[in-house]
Amino acid sequence: MKFTFQKEERLKSRKTIGRLFKEGHSFISYPIRFVWVKMETPLSDFPLQMSLTVPKRAFPKAVDRNRLRRRIREAYRLNKHSLYEKLEKEVPHEQRGLMLIYVAKETFDFHEIEKGMKKGLYKMGKRVCN
């Protein structure tokens, strides 16, 4: 398994992002909120396409937002394989769009973010496959 985050894994479709907020399912695994929706037609070969956001209101400095984005992306990249395996086994030939939203008001270090990411990816695997 390659621990990469390729261009095809990124969610960039405005239509899908709009659907995420209109009809998506969500839960919080602090400090990250997971919002996902099943895609009508797969846009790539990956079972999941991910996008993330850090609110400007909570973190007005771009440096802080970019640092948090890097930490979230790295935690996702290192831990996504468990969710991918479960999705490919349980619901093959389906694709989901995933939006990760940082909901905490303070900056957490990488280990706290990774802990929330692992818990959230496990929870998402259980909810999507059941």
Side-chain angles (χ1 to χ4, degrees), residues 6-89:
Q6 296 179 13
K7 187 176 181 178
E8 294 82 27
E9 292 180 86
R10 298 176 194 264
L11 178 62
K12 296 177 275 189
S13 167
R14 285 182 182 260
K15 184 178 176 184
T16 305
I17 291 171
R19 280 190 58 229
L20 272 166
F21 292 108
K22 286 181 186 169
E23 48 193 77
H25 307 282
S26 70
F27 64 88
I28 292 179
S29 176
Y30 198 76
I32 301 166
R33 180 176 177 217
F34 288 72
V35 182
W36 79 93
V37 69
K38 182 180 173 187
M39 293 182 157
E40 293 148 354
T41 56
L43 301 174
S44 71
D45 295 334
F46 295 96
L48 203 61
Q49 283 193 324
M50 189 272 294
S51 182
L52 66 99
T53 183
V54 178
K56 190 173 186 177
R57 180 176 286 179
F59 300 96
K61 293 183 180 177
V63 178
D64 297 332
R65 290 193 305 275
N66 292 338
R67 181 178 299 121
L68 285 168
R69 275 190 214 109
R70 280 196 305 272
R71 289 176 182 172
I72 294 168
R73 199 178 305 118
E74 183 69 4
Y76 176 78
R77 182 185 72 81
L78 292 173
N79 297 294
K80 68 180 178 178
H81 58 87
S82 60
L83 179 61
Y84 274 29
E85 289 170 1
K86 188 163 187 159
L87 288 175
E88 287 173 353
K89 189 175 93 177

